Amino acid sequence: MRIWKRVLLLMLVVMAATAGYYGYSFYQFAQHIQQPNVITPAPPDGGAATKAAEIPEWDGQERVNILLMGVDRRGMKQNGLPRSDSMMLVSIDPVAKRYDVFSILRDTYVDIPGSGSARINSAIVDGGPELAMKTVSQFTGLPVDRYVITDFEGFKALIDSIGGVEIDVEKNMYYHDPTDKGIYDIQLKKGLQRLDGNKALQYVRFRHDATSDYTRTERQRKLLTAVVSQMKSGTTLIQLPSILKEVTPYIQTNISSMDMLKLSALGLKINTAEPGNYQLPPMGMFRESHRAGAVLIPDVDQIQSFIQEKLQQSSKEAVPQTNHTNESMENSTPN
């Protein structure tokens, strides 16, 4: 009997130590990525960077909208701000346990508050992530006050830290990048394969298709979905402390530590099988123009209606199913 008590005590000690280790790793990660690791926030009015509003409790009804930005810091001047190479708005429904991803084409020509009209990916250059969020919020009609930024090296570090990601590459992809002595050349062969960080970056950067940036954003959403799904696996969760350590130097966010915990808890329950994946602006909701190079002039009203329609549809597809199940159980219960 005394042996079993000792075994139980040892198990409790190990569990407590493990929980402490994971907790400390997460705390260190959260503290560091709230610092300007990637770029220094620079609000256009010269004031302090705006803080993210408190994320609603997960028993609420409101969505959480987070702007993901991948930036290209190559050739950037000291203290300069890089353009966002990719922009994705992730909208999370805590009630339906679903998320929707909206890729924003970087040549979309929009009004940037206080700076006039320009490509949407230049908003971050004019006023840092705060202006980028404000611009995307005005464009989509959704409240956006949270962001996550990474660069090429951060993206590669994330993919490598989770052991690569399995992707079915649709076709052979080859491109010689004249900058950086070929470091960012693209050489991919068609077929199902596990991509490491370098190959995954090549996959999401390739844009030499007939439809250029349209298919590139599709690939970005496809890879994001695969990464989210893999992050929920048991093996990846066990490796979480080492993963956080690897990616910390390359990520920047304004999400608070407490909000990260809430998002992490929701992430374990969220449905990653069929997220809503959309391109902004959608086909038929813009016109091409050469007023500032080749740009896309969006129909903002039509696009905002499109977004609301997709979000409502996403929530309805997830929630009523549970209600129907409950109703059936109630009807089958004898009086």
Side-chain angles (χ1 to χ4, degrees):
M1 192 69 176
R2 293 177 62 184
I3 294 177
W4 285 111
K5 286 183 179 179
R6 289 177 182 175
V7 171
L8 178 59
L9 178 60
L10 179 61
M11 289 176 62
L12 291 174
V13 170
V14 171
M15 289 172 64
T18 302
Y21 174 57
Y22 274 73
Y24 179 73
S25 298
F26 183 85
Y27 173 78
Q28 289 286 91
F29 171 74
Q31 291 297 305
H32 280 94
I33 68 173
Q34 292 172 45
Q35 305 302 317
N37 294 340
V38 182
I39 64 173
T40 302
D45 58 3
T50 55
K51 295 183 179 179
E54 179 70 15
I55 291 179
E57 294 292 335
W58 297 127
D59 58 356
Q61 302 296 315
E62 296 182 25
R63 282 179 172 263
V64 179
N65 303 307
I66 304 173
L67 179 60
L68 307 183
M69 290 179 283
V71 299
D72 183 356
R73 294 197 288 179
R74 295 176 299 168
M76 190 179 71
K77 296 180 180 179
Q78 187 174 9
N79 298 324
L81 294 173
R83 288 180 181 268
S84 47
D85 187 65
S86 62
M87 301 179 78
M88 287 190 284
L89 184 61
V90 179
S91 186
I92 304 170
D93 185 338
V95 177
K97 304 294 189 297
R98 281 178 59 94
Y99 72 99
D100 297 88
V101 181
F102 297 91
S103 296
I104 304 175
L105 298 178
R106 60 185 182 180
D107 289 333
T108 304
Y109 199 72
V110 299
D111 177 55
I112 299 177
S115 298
S117 297
R119 286 178 172 84
I120 198 166
N121 69 335
S122 66
I124 194 171
V125 179
D126 294 339
E130 285 72 31
L131 185 58
M133 289 188 293
K134 190 173 183 180
T135 302
V136 171
S137 181
Q138 181 173 279
F139 171 58
T140 62
L142 298 177
V144 183
D145 52 14
R146 297 162 179 81
Y147 72 83
V148 177
I149 298 175
T150 189
D151 62 3
F152 285 0
E153 297 306 312
F155 178 86
K156 292 196 295 184
L158 172 61
I159 301 301
D160 285 336
S161 68
I162 63 175
V165 63
E166 192 172 81
I167 290 290
D168 188 3
V169 179
E170 310 88 65
K171 63 179 183 179
N172 294 333
M173 300 179 185
Y174 298 106
Y175 172 69
H176 172 64
D177 192 331
T179 60
D180 299 303
K181 299 179 180 179
I183 294 176
Y184 293 105
D185 282 0
I186 298 174
Q187 296 182 351
L188 290 174
K189 290 189 176 182
K190 178 181 178 180
L192 182 64
Q193 55 198 285
R194 181 164 291 275
L195 304 179
D196 62 12
N198 186 46
K199 292 294 186 182
L201 180 62
Q202 293 179 28
Y203 181 72
V204 298
R205 287 188 64 230
F206 186 77
R207 59 179 297 181
H208 300 278
D209 306 278
T211 50
S212 186
D213 217 25
Y214 308 117
T215 44
R216 187 181 78 122
T217 57
E218 286 180 5
R219 285 191 286 270
Q220 290 173 353
R221 295 193 300 273
K222 178 180 174 181
L223 188 130
L224 176 63
T225 301
V227 170
V228 170
S229 181
Q230 185 162 325
M231 287 293 289
K232 291 178 64 177
S233 71
T235 303
T236 305
L237 290 175
I238 292 172
Q239 299 170 336
L240 191 58
S242 62
I243 293 173
L244 297 181
K245 184 177 180 180
E246 288 294 324
V247 302
T248 294
Y250 309 106
I251 296 179
Q252 179 177 323
T253 186
N254 66 343
I255 302 176
S256 70
S257 302
M258 185 59 66
D259 289 346
M260 285 186 219
L261 283 173
K262 294 177 184 178
L263 284 167
S264 299
L266 177 65
L268 295 175
K269 305 173 186 175
I270 207 162
N271 177 16
T272 59
E274 295 181 356
N277 287 311
Y278 311 104
Q279 168 197 293
L280 297 180
M283 288 292 190
M285 297 187 190
F286 65 87
R287 60 183 175 83
E288 296 183 3
S289 173
H290 294 276
R291 67 172 61 178
V295 295
L296 309 176
I297 309 296
D299 185 326
V300 175
D301 291 338
Q302 194 175 7
I303 289 168
Q304 291 184 2
S305 296
F306 169 83
I307 292 171
Q308 288 301 320
E309 177 186 340
K310 294 304 180 184
L311 294 184
Q312 291 171 13
Q313 177 182 331
S314 177
S315 296
K316 288 178 180 178
E317 286 177 354
V319 177
Q321 191 170 7
T322 303
N323 294 338
H324 278 321
T325 302
N326 292 338
E327 288 173 7
S328 298
M329 291 177 67
E330 290 174 3
N331 294 334
S332 62
T333 303
N335 295 327

CSV table of all heavy atoms in Angstrom, one decimal, residues 34 36 39-52 67 69 81 87 112-113 123-138 144-149 252-255:
chain,number,residue,atom,x,y,z
A,34,GLN,N,5.3,40.1,-27.5
A,34,GLN,CA,4.6,41.4,-27.3
A,34,GLN,C,5.6,42.5,-27.5
A,34,GLN,O,5.2,43.7,-27.4
A,34,GLN,CB,3.9,41.4,-26.0
A,34,GLN,CG,2.7,40.4,-25.9
A,34,GLN,CD,2.1,40.4,-24.5
A,34,GLN,OE1,1.9,41.4,-23.9
A,34,GLN,NE2,1.8,39.2,-24.1
A,36,PRO,N,8.6,44.5,-29.9
A,36,PRO,CA,8.8,44.8,-31.3
A,36,PRO,C,9.9,43.9,-31.9
A,36,PRO,O,11.0,44.4,-32.3
A,36,PRO,CB,9.2,46.3,-31.4
A,36,PRO,CG,9.8,46.6,-30.1
A,36,PRO,CD,9.0,45.7,-29.1
A,39,ILE,N,9.0,44.4,-36.3
A,39,ILE,CA,9.0,45.8,-36.7
A,39,ILE,C,8.7,46.7,-35.5
A,39,ILE,O,8.1,46.2,-34.5
A,39,ILE,CB,8.1,46.1,-37.9
A,39,ILE,CG1,6.6,45.8,-37.4
A,39,ILE,CG2,8.4,45.3,-39.1
A,39,ILE,CD1,5.6,46.3,-38.5
A,40,THR,N,9.0,47.9,-35.5
A,40,THR,CA,8.7,48.8,-34.5
A,40,THR,C,7.4,49.5,-34.8
A,40,THR,O,7.3,50.2,-35.9
A,40,THR,CB,9.8,49.9,-34.3
A,40,THR,OG1,11.0,49.2,-34.0
A,40,THR,CG2,9.4,50.8,-33.1
A,41,PRO,N,6.3,49.4,-34.0
A,41,PRO,CA,5.1,50.1,-34.3
A,41,PRO,C,5.3,51.6,-34.4
A,41,PRO,O,6.0,52.2,-33.7
A,41,PRO,CB,4.2,49.7,-33.1
A,41,PRO,CG,4.8,48.5,-32.5
A,41,PRO,CD,6.3,48.6,-32.8
A,42,ALA,N,4.7,52.1,-35.4
A,42,ALA,CA,4.8,53.6,-35.7
A,42,ALA,C,3.5,54.2,-36.1
A,42,ALA,O,3.2,54.4,-37.3
A,42,ALA,CB,5.9,53.8,-36.7
A,43,PRO,N,2.6,54.5,-35.1
A,43,PRO,CA,1.3,55.1,-35.4
A,43,PRO,C,1.5,56.4,-36.2
A,43,PRO,O,2.5,57.2,-36.0
A,43,PRO,CB,0.7,55.4,-34.1
A,43,PRO,CG,1.4,54.5,-33.1
A,43,PRO,CD,2.8,54.3,-33.7
A,44,PRO,N,0.6,56.7,-37.2
A,44,PRO,CA,0.8,57.9,-38.0
A,44,PRO,C,0.8,59.2,-37.2
A,44,PRO,O,1.3,60.2,-37.7
A,44,PRO,CB,-0.4,57.8,-39.0
A,44,PRO,CG,-1.4,56.9,-38.3
A,44,PRO,CD,-0.5,55.9,-37.5
A,45,ASP,N,0.1,59.2,-36.1
A,45,ASP,CA,0.0,60.5,-35.3
A,45,ASP,C,1.1,60.7,-34.3
A,45,ASP,O,1.2,61.6,-33.6
A,45,ASP,CB,-1.4,60.5,-34.6
A,45,ASP,CG,-1.5,59.3,-33.6
A,45,ASP,OD1,-0.6,58.5,-33.5
A,45,ASP,OD2,-2.6,59.3,-33.0
A,46,GLY,N,2.0,59.7,-34.3
A,46,GLY,CA,3.2,59.8,-33.4
A,46,GLY,C,2.9,59.5,-32.0
A,46,GLY,O,3.8,59.6,-31.2
A,47,GLY,N,1.7,59.1,-31.7
A,47,GLY,CA,1.3,58.7,-30.3
A,47,GLY,C,1.7,57.3,-30.0
A,47,GLY,O,2.4,56.6,-30.7
A,48,ALA,N,1.2,56.9,-28.8
A,48,ALA,CA,1.5,55.5,-28.4
A,48,ALA,C,0.7,54.5,-29.2
A,48,ALA,O,-0.4,54.8,-29.7
A,48,ALA,CB,1.1,55.3,-26.9
A,49,ALA,N,1.2,53.3,-29.4
A,49,ALA,CA,0.6,52.3,-30.1
A,49,ALA,C,-0.7,51.9,-29.4
A,49,ALA,O,-0.8,51.8,-28.2
A,49,ALA,CB,1.5,51.0,-30.2
A,50,THR,N,-1.8,51.7,-30.2
A,50,THR,CA,-3.1,51.3,-29.6
A,50,THR,C,-3.0,49.9,-29.1
A,50,THR,O,-2.5,49.0,-29.6
A,50,THR,CB,-4.2,51.4,-30.7
A,50,THR,OG1,-3.8,50.6,-31.8
A,50,THR,CG2,-4.4,52.8,-31.2
A,51,LYS,N,-3.7,49.7,-27.9
A,51,LYS,CA,-3.7,48.4,-27.3
A,51,LYS,C,-4.9,47.6,-27.7
A,51,LYS,O,-6.0,48.2,-28.0
A,51,LYS,CB,-3.7,48.5,-25.8
A,51,LYS,CG,-2.4,49.1,-25.2
A,51,LYS,CD,-2.5,49.2,-23.7
A,51,LYS,CE,-1.2,49.8,-23.1
A,51,LYS,NZ,-1.2,49.8,-21.6
A,52,ALA,N,-4.8,46.3,-27.8
A,52,ALA,CA,-5.9,45.5,-28.2
A,52,ALA,C,-7.0,45.5,-27.1
A,52,ALA,O,-6.7,45.5,-26.0
A,52,ALA,CB,-5.5,44.1,-28.5
A,67,LEU,N,-5.5,40.0,-37.6
A,67,LEU,CA,-4.8,40.2,-38.8
A,67,LEU,C,-3.5,39.6,-38.8
A,67,LEU,O,-2.6,39.9,-38.0
A,67,LEU,CB,-4.7,41.7,-39.1
A,67,LEU,CG,-4.0,42.2,-40.4
A,67,LEU,CD1,-4.7,41.6,-41.6
A,67,LEU,CD2,-3.8,43.7,-40.4
A,69,MET,N,0.0,39.0,-40.7
A,69,MET,CA,0.8,39.7,-41.8
A,69,MET,C,2.2,39.0,-41.9
A,69,MET,O,2.9,38.9,-40.9
A,69,MET,CB,1.0,41.2,-41.5
A,69,MET,CG,-0.3,42.0,-41.6
A,69,MET,SD,-0.1,43.8,-41.2
A,69,MET,CE,-0.1,43.7,-39.4
A,81,LEU,N,10.1,50.4,-42.1
A,81,LEU,CA,8.9,49.5,-42.0
A,81,LEU,C,8.8,48.8,-43.3
A,81,LEU,O,8.7,49.4,-44.3
A,81,LEU,CB,7.7,50.3,-41.6
A,81,LEU,CG,7.7,51.0,-40.3
A,81,LEU,CD1,6.4,51.9,-40.1
A,81,LEU,CD2,7.7,50.0,-39.1
A,87,MET,N,-1.3,39.2,-46.4
A,87,MET,CA,-2.2,39.6,-45.4
A,87,MET,C,-3.4,38.7,-45.3
A,87,MET,O,-4.0,38.4,-46.4
A,87,MET,CB,-2.7,41.1,-45.7
A,87,MET,CG,-1.6,42.1,-45.7
A,87,MET,SD,-2.3,43.8,-46.1
A,87,MET,CE,-3.0,44.2,-44.5
A,112,ILE,N,-6.3,54.5,-47.4
A,112,ILE,CA,-5.5,54.3,-46.1
A,112,ILE,C,-5.7,55.6,-45.3
A,112,ILE,O,-5.3,56.7,-45.7
A,112,ILE,CB,-4.0,54.1,-46.4
A,112,ILE,CG1,-3.9,52.8,-47.3
A,112,ILE,CG2,-3.2,53.9,-45.2
A,112,ILE,CD1,-2.4,52.5,-47.7
A,113,PRO,N,-6.4,55.4,-44.1
A,113,PRO,CA,-6.7,56.6,-43.3
A,113,PRO,C,-5.5,57.5,-43.1
A,113,PRO,O,-4.4,57.1,-42.6
A,113,PRO,CB,-7.2,56.0,-42.0
A,113,PRO,CG,-7.7,54.7,-42.4
A,113,PRO,CD,-6.8,54.2,-43.5
A,123,ALA,N,0.0,50.0,-46.1
A,123,ALA,CA,-0.5,50.6,-44.9
A,123,ALA,C,0.5,50.5,-43.8
A,123,ALA,O,0.7,51.4,-42.9
A,123,ALA,CB,-1.9,50.1,-44.6
A,124,ILE,N,1.1,49.3,-43.7
A,124,ILE,CA,2.0,49.0,-42.6
A,124,ILE,C,3.3,49.9,-42.7
A,124,ILE,O,3.9,50.2,-41.7
A,124,ILE,CB,2.4,47.5,-42.5
A,124,ILE,CG1,3.1,47.2,-41.2
A,124,ILE,CG2,3.3,47.1,-43.7
A,124,ILE,CD1,3.3,45.7,-41.0
A,125,VAL,N,3.6,50.3,-43.9
A,125,VAL,CA,4.8,51.2,-44.1
A,125,VAL,C,4.5,52.6,-43.6
A,125,VAL,O,5.3,53.3,-43.0
A,125,VAL,CB,5.2,51.2,-45.6
A,125,VAL,CG1,6.4,52.1,-45.8
A,125,VAL,CG2,5.5,49.8,-46.1
A,126,ASP,N,3.2,53.0,-43.9
A,126,ASP,CA,2.8,54.4,-43.5
A,126,ASP,C,2.6,54.6,-42.0
A,126,ASP,O,2.8,55.6,-41.5
A,126,ASP,CB,1.5,54.7,-44.3
A,126,ASP,CG,1.7,54.8,-45.8
A,126,ASP,OD1,2.9,55.0,-46.2
A,126,ASP,OD2,0.7,54.7,-46.5
A,127,GLY,N,2.2,53.5,-41.4
A,127,GLY,CA,1.8,53.7,-39.9
A,127,GLY,C,1.9,52.5,-39.1
A,127,GLY,O,1.3,52.4,-38.0
A,128,GLY,N,2.7,51.5,-39.5
A,128,GLY,CA,2.9,50.3,-38.7
A,128,GLY,C,1.7,49.4,-38.6
A,128,GLY,O,0.7,49.6,-39.4
A,129,PRO,N,1.7,48.4,-37.8
A,129,PRO,CA,0.5,47.5,-37.7
A,129,PRO,C,-0.8,48.1,-37.3
A,129,PRO,O,-1.8,47.7,-37.7
A,129,PRO,CB,1.0,46.4,-36.7
A,129,PRO,CG,2.1,47.1,-35.9
A,129,PRO,CD,2.7,48.1,-36.8
A,130,GLU,N,-0.7,49.2,-36.5
A,130,GLU,CA,-2.0,49.9,-36.1
A,130,GLU,C,-2.7,50.4,-37.3
A,130,GLU,O,-3.9,50.3,-37.4
A,130,GLU,CB,-1.7,51.0,-35.1
A,130,GLU,CG,-1.3,50.5,-33.7
A,130,GLU,CD,0.1,49.9,-33.6
A,130,GLU,OE1,1.0,50.3,-34.4
A,130,GLU,OE2,0.3,49.0,-32.8
A,131,LEU,N,-2.0,51.1,-38.2
A,131,LEU,CA,-2.6,51.6,-39.4
A,131,LEU,C,-3.1,50.5,-40.3
A,131,LEU,O,-4.1,50.6,-41.0
A,131,LEU,CB,-1.7,52.6,-40.1
A,131,LEU,CG,-2.3,53.3,-41.4
A,131,LEU,CD1,-3.5,54.1,-41.0
A,131,LEU,CD2,-1.3,54.2,-42.0
A,132,ALA,N,-2.3,49.4,-40.4
A,132,ALA,CA,-2.7,48.3,-41.2
A,132,ALA,C,-4.0,47.7,-40.7
A,132,ALA,O,-4.9,47.4,-41.5
A,132,ALA,CB,-1.6,47.2,-41.2
A,133,MET,N,-4.2,47.6,-39.4
A,133,MET,CA,-5.4,47.1,-38.8
A,133,MET,C,-6.6,48.0,-39.1
A,133,MET,O,-7.7,47.6,-39.5
A,133,MET,CB,-5.3,46.9,-37.3
A,133,MET,CG,-4.4,45.7,-36.9
A,133,MET,SD,-4.4,45.4,-35.1
A,133,MET,CE,-3.7,46.9,-34.5
A,134,LYS,N,-6.3,49.3,-39.0
A,134,LYS,CA,-7.4,50.3,-39.2
A,134,LYS,C,-7.8,50.3,-40.7
A,134,LYS,O,-9.0,50.4,-41.0
A,134,LYS,CB,-6.8,51.7,-38.9
A,134,LYS,CG,-7.9,52.8,-38.9
A,134,LYS,CD,-7.3,54.1,-38.3
A,134,LYS,CE,-8.4,55.2,-38.2
A,134,LYS,NZ,-7.9,56.4,-37.7
A,135,THR,N,-6.8,50.1,-41.6
A,135,THR,CA,-7.1,50.0,-43.0
A,135,THR,C,-8.0,48.8,-43.4
A,135,THR,O,-8.9,48.9,-44.1
A,135,THR,CB,-5.8,50.1,-43.8
A,135,THR,OG1,-5.1,51.2,-43.5
A,135,THR,CG2,-6.1,50.0,-45.3
A,136,VAL,N,-7.5,47.7,-42.8
A,136,VAL,CA,-8.3,46.4,-43.1
A,136,VAL,C,-9.7,46.4,-42.5
A,136,VAL,O,-10.6,46.0,-43.1
A,136,VAL,CB,-7.5,45.2,-42.6
A,136,VAL,CG1,-8.3,43.9,-42.6
A,136,VAL,CG2,-6.2,45.0,-43.4
A,137,SER,N,-9.8,47.0,-41.3
A,137,SER,CA,-11.1,47.2,-40.7
A,137,SER,C,-12.0,48.0,-41.6
A,137,SER,O,-13.2,47.7,-41.8
A,137,SER,CB,-10.9,47.8,-39.3
A,137,SER,OG,-12.2,47.9,-38.7
A,138,GLN,N,-11.5,49.1,-42.1
A,138,GLN,CA,-12.3,50.0,-42.9
A,138,GLN,C,-12.7,49.3,-44.2
A,138,GLN,O,-13.8,49.5,-44.7
A,138,GLN,CB,-11.5,51.3,-43.2
A,138,GLN,CG,-12.2,52.3,-44.1
A,138,GLN,CD,-11.4,53.6,-44.2
A,138,GLN,OE1,-11.5,54.4,-43.3
A,138,GLN,NE2,-10.7,53.7,-45.3
A,144,VAL,N,-11.1,45.2,-36.3
A,144,VAL,CA,-9.8,44.5,-36.3
A,144,VAL,C,-8.9,45.3,-35.3
A,144,VAL,O,-8.5,46.4,-35.6
A,144,VAL,CB,-9.2,44.4,-37.7
A,144,VAL,CG1,-7.9,43.7,-37.6
A,144,VAL,CG2,-10.1,43.8,-38.7
A,145,ASP,N,-8.5,44.7,-34.2
A,145,ASP,CA,-7.6,45.4,-33.3
A,145,ASP,C,-6.6,44.5,-32.7
A,145,ASP,O,-5.9,44.8,-31.8
A,145,ASP,CB,-8.4,46.0,-32.1
A,145,ASP,CG,-9.3,45.0,-31.4
A,145,ASP,OD1,-9.2,43.8,-31.7
A,145,ASP,OD2,-10.2,45.5,-30.6
A,146,ARG,N,-6.4,43.3,-33.4
A,146,ARG,CA,-5.3,42.4,-33.0
A,146,ARG,C,-4.6,42.0,-34.2
A,146,ARG,O,-5.1,41.8,-35.3
A,146,ARG,CB,-5.9,41.1,-32.3
A,146,ARG,CG,-6.7,41.4,-31.0
A,146,ARG,CD,-7.6,40.3,-30.6
A,146,ARG,NE,-8.3,40.6,-29.4
A,146,ARG,CZ,-9.4,41.3,-29.3
A,146,ARG,NH1,-9.9,41.8,-30.4
A,146,ARG,NH2,-10.0,41.5,-28.2
A,147,TYR,N,-3.3,41.8,-34.0
A,147,TYR,CA,-2.4,41.4,-35.2
A,147,TYR,C,-1.3,40.4,-34.7
A,147,TYR,O,-1.0,40.4,-33.6
A,147,TYR,CB,-1.8,42.6,-35.8
A,147,TYR,CG,-0.7,43.3,-35.0
A,147,TYR,CD1,0.6,42.8,-35.0
A,147,TYR,CD2,-0.9,44.4,-34.2
A,147,TYR,CE1,1.7,43.3,-34.3
A,147,TYR,CE2,0.1,45.0,-33.4
A,147,TYR,CZ,1.4,44.4,-33.5
A,147,TYR,OH,2.4,45.0,-32.7
A,148,VAL,N,-0.8,39.7,-35.7
A,148,VAL,CA,0.3,38.8,-35.5
A,148,VAL,C,1.2,39.0,-36.8
A,148,VAL,O,0.7,39.0,-37.9
A,148,VAL,CB,0.0,37.3,-35.4
A,148,VAL,CG1,1.3,36.5,-35.3
A,148,VAL,CG2,-0.9,37.1,-34.2
A,149,ILE,N,2.5,39.3,-36.6
A,149,ILE,CA,3.4,39.6,-37.7
A,149,ILE,C,4.6,38.6,-37.6
A,149,ILE,O,5.1,38.3,-36.5
A,149,ILE,CB,4.0,41.0,-37.6
A,149,ILE,CG1,2.9,42.0,-37.8
A,149,ILE,CG2,5.0,41.2,-38.8
A,149,ILE,CD1,3.4,43.5,-37.6
A,252,GLN,N,5.7,38.9,-33.7
A,252,GLN,CA,5.3,40.1,-33.0
A,252,GLN,C,3.8,40.2,-32.9
A,252,GLN,O,3.2,39.9,-33.9
A,252,GLN,CB,5.9,41.3,-33.6
A,252,GLN,CG,5.6,42.6,-33.0
A,252,GLN,CD,6.3,43.8,-33.6
A,252,GLN,OE1,7.4,43.7,-34.1
A,252,GLN,NE2,5.6,44.9,-33.8
A,253,THR,N,3.3,40.5,-31.8
A,253,THR,CA,1.8,40.6,-31.7
A,253,THR,C,1.5,41.7,-30.6
A,253,THR,O,2.3,42.1,-29.8
A,253,THR,CB,1.2,39.3,-31.3
A,253,THR,OG1,-0.2,39.4,-31.3
A,253,THR,CG2,1.6,38.8,-29.9
A,254,ASN,N,0.2,42.1,-30.6
A,254,ASN,CA,-0.3,43.0,-29.6
A,254,ASN,C,-1.3,42.2,-28.7
A,254,ASN,O,-2.0,42.8,-27.9
A,254,ASN,CB,-0.9,44.3,-30.1
A,254,ASN,CG,-2.2,44.0,-30.9
A,254,ASN,OD1,-2.4,42.9,-31.4
A,254,ASN,ND2,-3.0,45.0,-31.2
A,255,ILE,N,-1.4,40.9,-28.9
A,255,ILE,CA,-2.4,40.1,-28.1
A,255,ILE,C,-1.8,39.9,-26.7
A,255,ILE,O,-0.7,39.5,-26.6
A,255,ILE,CB,-2.7,38.8,-28.8
A,255,ILE,CG1,-3.2,39.0,-30.2
A,255,ILE,CG2,-3.7,37.9,-28.0
A,255,ILE,CD1,-3.4,37.7,-31.0
